[in-house]
């Protein structure tokens, strides 16, 4: 064997060793999670068994057991029965060996069921050594991200391929071995060398060695500190819980996670592969199923309840199609979420996002058409673009699809025209369709006309599950309580908006005057044309459709007044009472009365509150949606306000929406406060001092205000006016 063959084998050995190392590093990281999880899960199981009465054993044995003597002995729960064991049970008068064995066996079956279903909840407000160890172990895998998963998959393929080949090629590794080997063995060795060379060259072309090397580094790198791991957990709790469910084998009920689809549809969806090459984040199981549903069924409605990640499911489907070679996609959405869509696509995938909105939208459309990627536009702007030829568009995504429920509306006709020229269409809406059969039929008529005619009013009247089964080929909806087994969680969304013309005028005036506080609330100066207020009403509308309570926070009393007027008026969501404003001028007793009335109101309701007045001391567990109208100067204010809703007693996840305007004071504040907020989270948030004293972490508001005003005056070319100290609402 010559030098070339020896080098080929050596390269194959190095690649095989790297693959083995990645597999080992990943296996150890997973085992670290399992080891940290075991005592926490065990305690959760014991607590659950403690809460199950011994009388439930009758259900397991269909009433055949007589448990009176056992209960009289003081054994009240299934856990106590298991702890007692058959020997102690036999000491109870009236309990023989057969009965004792039956009791223990029944208790064991209940315990097995509890072990499979009990969910571990990580309490960020009460960290202790065991949960800290679990969060730290999970942090390694979360930080490694989807690339580590791809590396492990590639390592498994390489190990299986190269292992046998290298064993065959070993004969060719030395001159003496080749001389002593028979002819057939020499030929097999040379063929193996050729295959090793081919496999390694293909791996190098695909960047596999670099992928394996980076994965090993990432899997061996722990969190910089326990505090840093906890901060990251709060920021990305969904990814942590997703990994935890995957490793532990736990998770939601499969039927619920699959939207109670009939077996034939669910089986087809499960068989759909999902390429994650262009995706930057991991998916929960139900989210992966949703993306597969969109790909398999091709023209569908994704109707998941708000907070379940419809956007990332759509991005996952687009990323898969991009990996298959599709180049052009279009997202149509309300103007209020256009910026969010653009940012989410860029943050969560490798796809190029192009906003097709504003005065330059035709030039942007031409650029998108020539370069490809994801065009993001509004319902109004879509009508100004030429309908694509068949096959040109990989997928059309329509967010808030209930906007096109009226077939006579211009936007409905435009979306219909685009849909007719696109093989794959994904409608998204958080509005439940079970009781809106006429609206649902209108949407389905755009997607699958033949199915629309088969949907009758009686399908909705039969109940949610029956309705979903009837419309399974086109509709998938999951509820939070069915699929988020670790409830309650806290989910943050930054809602980026472009200022309207009147917003921009008010903002420029505030900048020229050097008025920092006026700059912060300029987006609400003209409520009738406020982009932020429009988005706020949309969020409240979505909450109303799902029967959820909402708390709206602002630093400014005039902003709260504008919010209340908008929600009370014709622009408001309708249905559901609006309470407040709860401001500093309201006596403490009355504040608590307002909160109590808000909590007692049936169904959907809104409480508007000044953030300083309501951020400390009041509990608002009734709310599961929190809206913050503008970024706050101190991170403590936002943390404490959110904590009013997300705390002990909250039974649903809490969704936090922070309304932000692009390109001005909001963006500068978010950037400047980011590091201070993380520092605060890491060292102060969990202390009693931070809870009771909002000023415990001073971010120097006056200096920040002056700097922001000066930078904005320079950007807008306004006169330089000294920025006054931060004023009052």
């Amino acid at each position: 064997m010559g030098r070339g063959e020896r080098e080929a084998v050596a390269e194959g050995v190095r690649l095989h060793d790297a693959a083995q190392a990645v597999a080992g590093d990943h296996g150890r990281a997973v085992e670290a999670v399992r080891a940290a999880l075991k005592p926490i899960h065990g305690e959760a199981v014991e607590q659950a068994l403690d809460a199950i009465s011994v009388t439930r054993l009758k259900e397991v044995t269909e009433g055949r057991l007589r448990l009176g003597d056992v209960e009289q002995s003081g054994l009240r729960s299934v856990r106590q029965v298991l702890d007692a064991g058959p020997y102690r049970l036999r000491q109870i008068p009236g309990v023989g060996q057969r009965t004792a064995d039956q009791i223990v066996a029944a208790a064991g079956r209940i315990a097995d069921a509890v072990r499979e279903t009990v969910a571990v909840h990580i309490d960020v407000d009460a960290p202790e050594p065991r949960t800290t160890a679990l969060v730290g172990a999970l942090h390694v895998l979360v930080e490694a991200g989807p690339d580590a998963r791809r590396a492990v998959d590639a390592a498994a393929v390489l190990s299986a391929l190269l292992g046998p080949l290298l064993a065959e090629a070993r004969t060719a590794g030395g001159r003496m071995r080749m001389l002593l080997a028979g002819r057939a063995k020499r030929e097999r060795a040379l063929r193996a060398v050729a295959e090793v060379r081919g496999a390694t060259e293909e791996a190098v072309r695909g960047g596999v060695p670099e992928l394996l090397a980076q994965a090993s580094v990432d899997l061996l790198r722990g969190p910089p500190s326990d505090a840093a791991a906890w901060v990251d957990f709060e920021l990305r709790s969904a990814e942590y819980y997703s990994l935890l469910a995957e490793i532990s084998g736990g998770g939601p009920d499969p039927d619920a996670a699959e939207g109670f689809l009939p077996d034939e549809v669910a089986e087809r969806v499960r068989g759909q592969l999902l390429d994650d090459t262009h995706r930057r984040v991991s998916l929960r199981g139900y989210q992966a199923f949703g993306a597969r549903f969109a790909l398999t069924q091709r023209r569908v409605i994704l109707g998941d309840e708000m907070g379940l990640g419809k956007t990332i499911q759509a991005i996952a489907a687009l990323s898969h199609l991009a990996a298959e070679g599709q180049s052009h996609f279009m997202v149509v959405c309300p103007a209020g979420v256009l910026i969010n869509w653009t940012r989410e696509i860029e943050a969560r995938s490798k796809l190029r996002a192009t906003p097709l909105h504003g005065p330059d939208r035709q030039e942007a459309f031409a650029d998108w058409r020539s370069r490809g990627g994801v065009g993001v536009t509004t319902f109004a702007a879509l009508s100004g673009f030429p309908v694509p030829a068949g096959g040109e568009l990989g997928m059309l995504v329509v967010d808030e699809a209930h906007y096109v429920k009226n077939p006579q509306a211009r936007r409905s006709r435009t979306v219909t025209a685009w849909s007719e020229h696109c093989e794959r269409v994904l409608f998204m809406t958080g509005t439940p369709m079970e009781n809106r059969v006429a609206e649902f039929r209108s949407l389905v008529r755009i997607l699958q006309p033949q199915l629309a005619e088969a949907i009758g009013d009686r399908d909705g009247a039969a109940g949610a599950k029956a309705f979903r089964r009837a419309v399974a080929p086109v509709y998938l909806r999951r509820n939070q309580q069915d699929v988020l087994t670790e409830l309650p969680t806290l989910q943050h969304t930054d809602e980026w908006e472009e200022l309207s013309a009147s917003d921009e005028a008010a903002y420029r005036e505030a900048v020229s005057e050097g008025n920092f506080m006026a700059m912060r609330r300029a987006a609400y100066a003209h409520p009738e044309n406020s982009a932020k207020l429009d988005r706020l009403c949309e969020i409240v509308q979505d909450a109303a459709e799902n029967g959820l309570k909402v708390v709206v926070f602002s630093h400014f009393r005039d902003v709260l007044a504008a919010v209340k007027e908008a929600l009370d008026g014709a622009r408001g969501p309708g249905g559901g009472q609006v309470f407040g404003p709860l401001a500093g001028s309201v006596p403490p007793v009355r504040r608590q009365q307002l909160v109590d009335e808000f909590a007692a109101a049936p169904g959907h309701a809104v409480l508007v509150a000044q953030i300083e007045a309501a951020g400390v001391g009041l509990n608002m567990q009734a709310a599961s949606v929190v809206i913050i109208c503008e970024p706050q100067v101190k991170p403590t204010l936002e943390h404490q306000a959110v904590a009013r809703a997300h705390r002990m007693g909250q039974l649903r996840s809490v969704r936090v929406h922070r309304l932000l305007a692009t390109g001005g004071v909001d963006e500068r504040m978010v950037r400047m406060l980011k590091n201070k907020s993380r520092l605060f989270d890491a060292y102060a948030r969990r202390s009693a001092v931070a809870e009771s004293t909002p000023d415990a972490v001073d971010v120097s508001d006056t200096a920040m205000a002056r700097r922001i005003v000066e930078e904005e005056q320079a950007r807008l070319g306004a006169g330089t006016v000294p920025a006054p100290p931060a004023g009052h609402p």
Side-chain angles (χ1 to χ4, degrees):
M1 182 179 70
R3 179 178 177 183
E5 285 76 14
R6 288 195 298 272
E7 289 179 350
V9 171
E11 183 64 26
V13 169
R14 283 193 292 271
L15 189 58
H16 182 262
D17 289 347
Q20 294 284 88
V22 165
D25 294 337
H26 185 263
R28 284 186 288 275
V30 169
E31 283 306 312
V33 172
R34 288 184 175 139
L37 175 64
K38 187 175 181 179
I40 302 172
H41 182 262
E43 182 179 355
V45 169
E46 289 180 354
Q47 290 175 349
L49 293 174
D50 252 341
I52 299 175
S53 171
V54 72
T55 58
R56 294 286 299 276
L57 298 175
K58 291 181 180 179
E59 299 174 17
V60 178
T61 59
E62 299 179 348
R64 293 194 300 271
L65 281 176
R66 293 193 302 273
L67 299 169
D69 294 332
V70 174
E71 290 181 272
Q72 289 176 13
S73 73
L75 299 179
R76 304 293 185 187
S77 71
V78 172
R79 180 188 173 187
Q80 289 176 326
V81 167
L82 288 169
D83 288 344
Y87 175 77
R88 184 181 164 192
L89 288 171
R90 288 198 301 271
Q91 310 310 307
I92 299 172
V95 176
Q97 181 170 343
R98 181 182 177 188
T99 301
D101 290 343
Q102 288 176 331
I103 291 173
V104 171
R109 288 200 293 275
I110 291 178
D112 289 341
V114 169
R115 288 189 193 95
E116 291 178 4
T117 58
V118 71
V120 169
H121 174 63
I122 301 172
D123 189 350
V124 296
D125 292 317
E128 44 95 10
R130 291 183 306 175
T131 53
T132 298
L134 178 58
V135 169
L138 286 166
H139 175 88
V140 173
L141 291 165
V142 171
E143 193 68 12
D147 280 346
R149 186 184 301 275
R150 283 191 282 272
V152 171
D153 291 342
V157 172
L158 282 173
S159 294
L161 175 64
L162 291 176
L165 288 176
L166 289 171
E168 287 280 0
R170 188 173 292 113
T171 300
R175 186 172 302 170
M176 186 60 65
R177 283 199 296 269
M178 284 290 280
L179 289 173
L180 295 176
R183 179 179 177 183
K185 194 171 184 180
R186 287 198 300 269
E187 290 177 352
R188 287 199 304 272
L190 291 174
R191 282 198 302 271
V193 170
E195 290 186 47
V196 167
R197 179 185 287 113
T200 54
E201 288 176 351
E202 182 180 351
V204 169
R205 285 194 298 271
V208 174
E210 293 83 1
L211 180 68
L212 297 178
Q214 186 61 54
S216 279
V217 170
D218 292 339
L219 290 167
L220 293 173
R221 183 194 297 122
S225 68
D226 290 344
W230 275 109
V231 170
D232 192 61
F233 171 76
E234 286 202 66
L235 294 174
R236 298 191 285 176
S237 63
E239 293 181 51
Y240 280 75
Y241 275 120
S242 178
L243 268 171
L244 187 59
E246 180 182 325
I247 292 171
S248 67
D253 173 68
D255 289 339
E258 296 176 353
F260 302 101
L261 295 179
D263 289 342
E264 63 272 16
V265 177
E267 192 62 36
R268 187 162 60 247
V269 173
R270 292 185 209 113
Q272 168 70 49
L273 297 177
L274 191 60
D275 194 308
D276 64 356
T277 304
H278 294 292
R279 181 162 33 90
R280 300 186 194 275
V281 296
S282 300
L283 302 177
R284 294 186 176 215
Y286 75 86
Q287 292 173 334
F289 186 87
R292 290 187 175 100
F293 178 80
L295 294 168
T296 304
Q297 300 301 101
R298 295 180 177 265
R299 302 172 66 85
V300 299
I301 301 170
L302 179 60
D304 285 346
E305 187 179 7
M306 63 183 297
L308 292 184
K310 293 186 288 294
T311 301
I312 185 55
Q313 293 176 65
I315 292 172
L318 298 179
S319 298
H320 173 91
L321 293 172
E324 287 192 336
Q326 296 285 348
S327 59
H328 289 71
F329 311 98
M330 182 68 75
V331 172
V332 187
C333 60
V337 296
L338 185 141
I339 298 298
N340 287 323
W341 263 102
T342 303
R343 291 180 180 235
E344 286 288 289
I345 291 167
E346 292 175 344
R348 298 176 181 271
S349 76
K350 300 175 184 177
L351 304 181
R352 178 175 176 267
T354 304
L356 310 177
H357 181 55
D360 299 327
R361 58 184 176 274
Q362 292 298 338
E363 291 84 351
F365 181 82
D367 178 70
W368 165 77
R369 205 162 192 176
S370 65
R371 297 176 62 187
V374 185
V376 186
T377 192
T378 63
F379 290 100
L382 185 68
S383 62
F385 302 137
V387 177
E392 183 178 345
L393 203 62
M395 177 177 274
L396 173 68
V397 178
V398 181
D399 193 11
E400 305 293 354
H402 49 274
Y403 277 38
V404 297
K405 64 187 178 184
N406 179 2
Q408 305 306 317
R410 182 184 181 187
R411 59 191 175 197
S412 301
R413 296 197 301 270
T414 302
V415 168
T416 300
W418 277 69
S419 298
E420 289 172 349
H421 290 79
C422 187
E423 183 181 353
R424 284 187 169 88
V425 183
L426 173 59
F427 281 6
M428 296 165 50
T429 175
T431 302
M433 290 288 159
E434 287 84 341
N435 298 320
R436 295 173 170 78
V437 176
E439 294 178 11
F440 182 76
R441 196 183 294 118
S442 295
L443 298 182
V444 174
R445 191 170 286 115
I446 300 174
L447 299 170
Q448 298 189 29
Q450 71 285 359
L451 180 61
E453 305 310 317
I455 300 171
D457 293 338
R458 65 183 183 279
D459 291 317
K465 291 183 182 180
F467 174 81
R468 292 179 206 175
R469 289 182 180 276
V471 299
V474 74
Y475 182 55
L476 176 65
R477 177 176 173 86
R478 280 76 57 91
N479 299 320
Q480 283 192 357
Q481 64 185 16
D482 291 334
V483 298
L484 294 185
T485 55
E486 77 281 354
L487 282 175
T489 59
L490 184 62
Q491 304 165 67
H492 287 271
T493 301
D494 281 347
E495 304 278 356
W496 289 96
E497 310 298 326
E498 289 183 333
L499 293 176
S500 67
S502 56
D503 293 339
E504 183 70 29
Y507 183 71
R508 285 180 174 270
E509 181 180 353
V511 171
S512 66
E513 295 173 352
N515 189 330
F516 179 64
M517 289 307 202
M519 290 163 59
R520 291 181 62 201
R521 60 182 187 270
Y524 302 92
H526 302 286
E528 67 281 0
N529 294 309
S530 168
K532 278 193 178 184
L533 202 50
D534 284 345
R535 180 56 185 150
L536 185 149
C537 289
E538 289 173 355
I539 296 169
V540 173
Q541 172 73 52
D542 199 356
E545 296 285 359
N546 288 279
L548 305 177
K549 285 185 165 64
V550 183
V551 177
V552 179
F553 288 117
S554 175
H555 178 73
F556 304 101
R557 287 193 290 267
D558 54 351
V559 171
L560 294 177
V563 169
K564 189 171 191 304
E565 184 176 354
L567 296 179
D568 279 336
R571 284 164 25 118
Q577 194 171 348
V578 181
F579 296 88
L582 195 161
S585 58
V586 177
V589 174
R590 178 55 185 152
R591 293 183 203 178
Q592 188 60 58
Q593 288 176 342
L594 281 171
V595 172
D596 292 343
E597 292 168 5
F598 165 71
H604 168 69
V606 181
L607 174 65
V608 296
Q610 197 172 10
I611 199 162
E612 290 92 339
V616 177
L618 295 175
N619 295 334
M620 303 172 182
Q621 297 99 311
S624 49
V625 178
V626 176
I627 302 174
I628 300 175
C629 292
E630 71 285 322
Q632 302 305 306
V633 175
K634 291 184 175 68
T636 40
L637 292 175
E638 291 188 19
H639 290 312
Q640 291 171 2
V642 171
R644 296 308 104 207
H646 186 255
R647 61 191 299 112
M648 292 293 290
Q650 171 61 255
L651 299 179
R652 297 180 62 87
S653 68
V654 176
R655 184 90 180 182
V656 181
H657 300 263
R658 184 167 60 162
L659 304 180
L660 303 167
T662 59
V665 63
D666 287 2
E667 196 153 342
R668 292 187 186 276
M669 285 182 67
V670 168
R671 187 166 58 248
M672 292 172 71
L673 290 169
K674 184 176 182 180
N675 290 336
K676 293 183 175 67
S677 180
R678 290 181 70 87
L679 186 67
F680 169 72
D681 276 344
Y683 298 108
R685 182 172 178 187
R686 296 176 227 292
S687 72
V689 174
E691 173 67 18
S692 61
T693 311
D695 294 327
V697 179
D698 182 9
V699 296
S700 190
D701 7 343
T702 302
M704 183 179 71
R706 183 177 299 278
R707 178 179 168 187
I708 289 176
V709 170
E710 289 173 351
E711 290 177 352
E712 284 298 281
Q713 287 177 334
R715 181 177 71 89
L716 298 176
T720 303
V721 179
H728 300 286

